[in-house]
Amino acid sequence: MIENNVVLKVENLNFSYRINNDDLAIKDVSFSIKKGEYVALVGHNGSGKSTIAKILMGLLVADENSKITIFDMELNDENLYKIRKDLGIIFQNPDNQFIGSTVQEDIAFGLENNCVPNSKMQDIIDDYAKKVGMEKYLDKSPSLLSGGQKQRVSIAGVLARNPKIFIMDEATSMLDPKGKQEILNLIYSLKRANPELTVISITHDIQEAYQANHVIVLDDGKKVLDGSPKEVFKNRDLLLKYRLDIPFYLELDTQLALRGIDVKGASCLEELVDRLCK
């Protein structure tokens, strides 16, 4: 049984890109994530966010004194395959993830690796292609798709495997604002449909982070803040010190409160507007 509903626990994580462990990129980082949380891992460029994502996937190996536990299994060579079956990751550039020559083949690739029977595979492909709005593109080559469409296909390929933890490593940073919001809306929708899905979003987007359940802030390879969005973003001076912005609707909420207008801590801009209109 997973202790206290914690699906991922990182203890004293250290990592260096140098063989002699000099100049650590990750410095004694510890945190835990519960099942069903939407976690935003934020920080300025070079803070260590993507390095941690690669360590969690087993693409990089942490210092021997570090400990990572996922689904009550220690992350090591012996358990890596079993753990990876329940993890999915979307990288910043979807072109780096495409395997198949068509959208359908690309979604099928992960299912084949998970030994899904052929008799069930097509229904799963069709279902997840529809969920991400790509059902009309199954026979298209990924190279002919737009950036947003490629990300949708990547998401379909990962989610079709039914992972328990879904990691997005700067997955929307190459998209225009419209495409970015479409991808985020898709993730929010899929999360509502599957409340037990744990999402870890490595992101620069402070607005997205403010809508998460749990925010972890990194700076220069160290964890500097960890808590709920309200707990983290009340530390305005610290956020500015770490070169992070204040969410627009939190700033607006604060300024309205100073003028005697109470919107009761709306969690997003749409909710704030809705409350103002009432």
Side-chain angles (χ1 to χ4, degrees):
M1 182 178 293
I2 297 175
E3 180 183 358
N4 296 325
N5 221 23
V6 172
V7 294
L8 190 154
K9 188 173 185 179
V10 173
E11 299 174 87
N12 309 116
L13 177 61
N14 289 284
F15 174 81
S16 174
Y17 285 98
R18 299 185 179 183
I19 295 176
N20 59 4
N21 282 342
D22 188 24
D23 191 20
L24 290 173
I26 304 296
K27 305 166 185 175
D28 198 28
V29 170
S30 298
F31 61 86
S32 60
I33 293 174
K34 294 182 178 180
K35 180 195 292 185
E37 282 192 315
Y38 191 121
V39 181
L41 191 59
V42 300
H44 205 265
N45 286 338
S47 61
K49 305 185 302 297
S50 293
T51 298
I52 287 180
K54 292 179 175 67
I55 292 171
L56 295 179
M57 290 298 297
L59 301 176
L60 297 174
V61 180
D63 176 271
E64 61 182 5
N65 296 318
S66 308
K67 184 178 180 182
I68 300 173
T69 307
I70 304 177
F71 313 123
D72 278 344
M73 292 182 285
E74 187 169 348
L75 182 61
N76 53 34
D77 289 341
E78 181 181 353
N79 294 328
L80 182 57
Y81 177 72
K82 289 184 286 187
I83 290 173
R84 273 186 177 170
K85 290 184 70 175
D86 288 321
L87 296 182
I89 188 167
I90 300 294
F91 292 107
Q92 179 177 349
N93 187 349
D95 289 323
N96 295 336
Q97 293 187 242
F98 288 130
I99 301 296
S101 59
T102 66
V103 168
Q104 177 161 287
E105 290 179 3
D106 201 76
I107 298 174
F109 179 76
L111 299 175
E112 292 168 347
N113 282 347
N114 281 9
C115 301
V116 174
N118 287 332
S119 59
K120 297 182 179 180
M121 197 176 295
Q122 192 60 54
D123 286 343
I124 296 173
I125 293 170
D126 292 342
D127 181 34
Y128 280 91
K130 186 175 181 179
K131 284 180 178 178
V132 301
M134 294 299 292
E135 68 272 21
K136 297 180 181 179
Y137 298 87
L138 287 174
D139 295 326
K140 295 286 186 182
S141 167
S143 64
L144 300 177
L145 303 178
S146 69
Q149 289 172 330
K150 289 177 180 179
Q151 286 291 31
R152 288 174 181 270
V153 174
S154 296
I155 291 169
V158 171
L159 293 180
R161 295 175 42 241
N162 195 29
K164 295 177 182 177
I165 299 178
F166 178 45
I167 302 173
M168 298 190 295
D169 185 9
E170 304 283 7
T172 62
S173 62
M174 295 181 65
L175 304 180
D176 61 29
K178 181 181 178 183
K180 181 177 185 176
Q181 194 57 53
E182 286 178 350
I183 294 297
L184 290 177
N185 288 343
L186 171 62
I187 299 301
Y188 297 148
S189 174
L190 293 171
K191 183 75 180 67
R192 286 192 295 270
N194 181 9
E196 292 193 350
L197 174 65
T198 303
V199 176
I200 303 173
S201 180
I202 288 87
T203 180
H204 284 95
D205 190 342
I206 295 300
Q207 315 302 334
E208 177 193 353
Y210 191 60
Q211 296 180 72
N213 306 122
H214 182 180
V215 180
I216 300 169
V217 180
L218 298 177
D219 182 69
D220 191 30
K222 297 175 287 187
K223 186 186 76 172
V224 292
L225 291 169
D226 184 351
S228 70
K230 288 184 179 180
E231 291 170 337
V232 167
F233 290 113
K234 72 181 181 182
N235 297 284
R236 293 168 179 267
D237 292 341
L238 280 177
L239 292 170
L240 293 174
K241 175 184 175 182
Y242 301 131
R243 296 168 291 172
L244 295 173
D245 296 326
I246 305 299
F248 169 74
Y249 30 81
L250 176 61
E251 191 67 34
L252 181 58
D253 187 358
T254 302
Q255 293 301 320
L256 288 170
L258 290 174
R259 290 161 174 76
I261 303 172
D262 183 9
V263 289
K264 299 179 182 178
S267 62
C268 63
L269 183 59
E270 289 77 10
E271 186 178 343
L272 189 148
V273 171
D274 182 61
R275 293 184 183 188
L276 280 174
C277 290
K278 292 179 179 179

